[in-house]
């Protein structure tokens, strides 16, 4: 763990290589207030690590933190082949049991674009044009995917990229797939001022 990378702009993280014994096992001390660090948690009685993924549009109007627990060995990155995603290079990821905190600094600066079945809204920043997230409201619950191109703190080699096509998918099948695979715990905080 001595080589654990931290965000150099975060002055609150623990010094590199500082360890302490806990029940004979060495764990790296990690500050719990730095959003870009790996954080320990208990999962099925064993110590695991979760990954906090941070991303944003180019100007920062739309930003997000995705809590991916437990930390994945690789992150699926799906390049959608629909006409919209093809035109803007949409490559998406999600973890069904993850938690997404989506923040919109100025709701007037965000366009919500829907097409086709109109069951998903792409959040487009009006300032910089980036699409960092897509939301789908199903049975009163919001589901989401995030753009891997908007992620700031993950080494690109961890993304396992693949093309996918949902062009011939029936509407009920599409909504069912989103409920199974998209992020199910979504909080959207918008500043309307």
């Amino acid at each position: 763990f001595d080589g654990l990378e931290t965000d150099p702009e975060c002055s609150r993280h623990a010094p590199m290589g500082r360890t302490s014994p806990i029940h004979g096992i060495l764990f790296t001390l990690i500050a719990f207030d730095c959003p870009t660090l790996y954080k320990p948690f208990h999962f099925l009685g064993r110590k695991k690590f979760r990954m906090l993924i941070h991303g944003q549009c180019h100007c920062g109007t739309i930003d997000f933190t995705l809590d991916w627990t437990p930390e994945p060995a690789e992150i699926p990155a799906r390049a959608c082949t629909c006409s919209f995603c093809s035109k803007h290079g949409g490559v998406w990821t999600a973890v069904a049991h993850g938690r997404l905190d989506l923040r919109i600094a100025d709701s007037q600066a965000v366009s919500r674009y829907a097409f086709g079945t109109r069951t998903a809204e792409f959040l487009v920043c009006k300032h910089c044009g980036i699409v960092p997230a897509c939301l789908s409201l199903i049975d009163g619950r919001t589901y989401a995917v995030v753009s891997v191109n908007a992620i700031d703190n993950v080494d690109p080699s961890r993304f396992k990229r693949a093309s996918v096509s949902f062009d011939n998918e029936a509407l009920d099948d599409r909504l069912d797939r989103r409920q199974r695979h998209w992020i199910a715990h979504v909080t959207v905080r918008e500043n309307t001022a």
Side-chain angles (χ1 to χ4, degrees):
F1 287 128
D2 287 338
L4 180 69
E5 292 183 23
T6 61
D7 184 349
E9 294 182 11
C10 182
S11 61
R12 300 176 303 236
H13 65 268
M16 298 297 280
R18 183 175 167 202
T19 59
S20 66
I22 298 176
H23 303 291
I25 300 172
L26 294 178
F27 289 99
T28 301
L29 294 177
I30 299 174
F32 285 89
D33 61 345
C34 182
T36 59
L37 292 175
Y38 298 96
K39 297 184 178 187
F41 78 106
H42 291 280
F43 181 73
L44 299 177
R46 296 185 349 229
K47 188 82 119 176
K48 295 283 185 181
F49 283 89
R50 70 184 192 187
M51 178 182 242
L52 292 181
I53 297 173
H54 179 72
Q56 63 183 5
C57 65
H58 192 259
C59 70
T61 297
I62 306 168
D63 78 293
F64 62 84
T65 301
L66 173 57
D67 183 344
W68 197 307
T69 304
E71 177 187 349
E74 61 186 13
I75 296 170
R78 304 294 177 243
C80 181
T81 59
C82 78
S83 58
F84 181 70
C85 290
S86 294
K87 287 185 181 286
H88 76 81
V91 182
W92 308 97
T93 194
V95 56
H97 56 273
R99 295 190 176 278
L100 178 66
D101 183 19
L102 182 65
R103 296 166 299 276
I104 300 173
D106 178 5
S107 61
Q108 297 300 313
V110 176
S111 174
R112 294 173 181 262
Y113 181 68
F115 69 100
T117 63
R118 307 194 73 73
T119 58
E121 286 185 332
F122 294 87
L123 302 183
V124 184
C125 179
K126 291 180 182 178
H127 295 303
C128 66
I130 303 300
V131 184
C134 179
L135 306 176
S136 184
L137 184 63
I138 305 169
D139 296 331
R141 184 175 197 162
T142 301
Y143 295 83
V145 291
V146 295
S147 170
V148 301
N149 298 321
I151 292 174
D152 295 327
N153 67 329
V154 174
D155 184 330
S157 67
R158 293 194 68 177
F159 296 122
K160 183 178 180 182
R161 295 177 182 264
S163 292
V164 293
S165 175
F166 304 113
D167 288 343
N168 296 321
E169 189 175 43
L171 179 60
D172 288 342
D173 293 338
R174 180 169 300 201
L175 298 177
D176 184 54
R177 173 182 50 80
R178 289 178 185 162
Q179 287 178 305
R180 286 190 326 271
H181 299 293
W182 284 27
I183 305 160
H185 304 284
V186 179
T187 302
V188 179
R189 293 186 282 158
E190 294 188 51
N191 186 355
T192 57

